[in-house]
Amino acid sequence: MEEILNAAIEAARAAGEIALHYFRTNLTVETKADRTPVTRADRECEATIVEILSTRFPEHGFLGEELGERSGTTNARWIIDPIDGTKNFIRGIPFFATLIALEEAGEVTAGVMYAPAINDLLYAQKGQGAFANGRQVHVSEVADLPGAMLIHGGLKDLKTRPCWQPFLRLVDATARQRGFGDALGHSVVICGQAEIALEPEIKPWDVAATRIIVTEAGGRYSDFAGSPSIYTGSAVISNGLVHDEVINILRGP
């Protein structure tokens, strides 16, 4: 397993170098079919990750945001988001990250989250704990919503969905709210700096690495209905202690 994690970290750092090469340059931005942006940097980062990992593990498959799915000869595959936070990246905001996770027989067993512009590296493997820049990290011990910080992404994304009214109740119930979004929002929960991060619309590559890292940090991951799946389109990342209460509010009218 150490070989797996080391390879993923190597691939994430290599992708980070490519991203920084393009960061704050005059990049051409395209719009994909799902109306999200993509750049040459996204594609080059993912191609580099696939090249590194397929050389080390030729039997593994891949599922990536930009290059799609490729089957392997085993039940293991890498799930890749080469630049999570592309909109930040395009606008020169340093809060973007490369996300890499290994899924084996449907279970995510290792994950890496690397934000090259701020040189922040989070990683975890099943049963071994979660680490940030070499230091083991844990979620917070805040046990109730009145003391909790709530992290969310774009308000318009929330307002146009049925979760808007439950979200407003969460705003009223929590002590503080911040709109960090994406991997940055997940990382502050993992490192014990906030208690809840909400994602109303996600793909598996957005949260596969987060799921294993927050779990190994002592927290909890689920969708808005409480399922632990990364394939159902929404996510709640929490310190675990407030998770059930958050889910109850999200399920409410």
Side-chain angles (χ1 to χ4, degrees):
M1 197 63 184
E2 184 177 351
E3 181 186 5
I4 291 282
L5 195 57
N6 287 341
I9 291 171
E10 177 189 340
R13 288 193 181 278
E17 289 184 13
I18 294 170
L20 289 179
H21 173 76
Y22 287 108
F23 186 50
R24 294 176 177 166
T25 65
N26 189 24
L27 268 175
T28 298
V29 180
E30 303 170 35
T31 302
K32 297 186 290 189
D34 63 0
R35 300 179 67 183
T36 59
V38 64
T39 71
R40 178 178 180 182
D42 295 85
R43 296 187 178 109
E44 287 191 15
C45 287
E46 186 165 326
T48 294
I49 293 167
V50 170
E51 179 181 7
I52 290 171
L53 295 177
S54 61
T55 299
R56 298 283 190 89
F57 311 103
E59 71 280 10
H60 288 183
F62 292 89
L63 175 65
E65 179 175 10
E66 310 305 341
L67 303 182
E69 189 170 6
R70 189 178 88 186
S71 298
T73 58
T74 71
N75 60 8
R77 69 173 178 177
W78 296 95
I79 303 176
I80 303 164
D81 190 341
I83 300 179
D84 179 72
T86 298
K87 293 177 182 177
N88 286 349
F89 175 78
I90 290 167
R91 301 200 65 175
I93 300 170
F95 304 129
F96 59 91
T98 294
L99 308 178
I100 303 174
L102 180 66
E103 181 184 57
E104 300 179 273
E107 179 184 9
V108 180
T109 56
V112 172
M113 179 186 297
Y114 179 52
I118 57 175
N119 196 28
D120 200 29
L121 175 69
L122 279 69
Y123 54 90
Q125 54 186 342
K126 185 179 178 181
Q128 299 299 314
F131 296 82
N133 304 311
R135 176 179 60 88
Q136 190 164 8
V137 291
H138 302 275
V139 295
S140 81
E141 296 182 357
V142 174
D144 54 36
L145 289 182
M149 181 185 287
L150 170 66
I151 307 298
H152 59 84
L155 292 175
K156 189 173 182 178
D157 289 339
L158 288 158
K159 191 172 183 179
T160 56
R161 290 180 169 80
C163 62
W164 177 244
Q165 291 302 322
F167 169 72
L168 292 180
R169 287 193 287 275
L170 275 175
V171 169
D172 289 338
T174 50
R176 201 176 187 196
Q177 306 77 36
R178 287 293 181 269
F180 299 144
D182 301 322
L184 173 66
H186 306 178
S187 70
V188 296
V189 174
I190 290 164
C191 293
Q193 298 158 324
E195 284 65 54
I196 311 148
L198 298 182
E199 295 283 3
E201 183 178 9
I202 52 94
K203 302 293 186 183
W205 45 77
D206 296 316
V207 290
T210 293
R211 188 187 189 285
I212 182 67
I213 300 173
V214 75
T215 301
E216 287 296 321
R220 187 172 162 192
Y221 172 94
S222 80
D223 66 9
F224 281 14
S227 166
S229 174
I230 62 173
Y231 294 99
T232 52
S234 63
V236 179
I237 298 103
S238 84
N239 70 347
L241 299 174
V242 299
H243 202 97
D244 287 339
E245 194 170 357
V246 170
I247 295 301
N248 287 339
I249 290 175
L250 290 173
R251 285 173 172 167

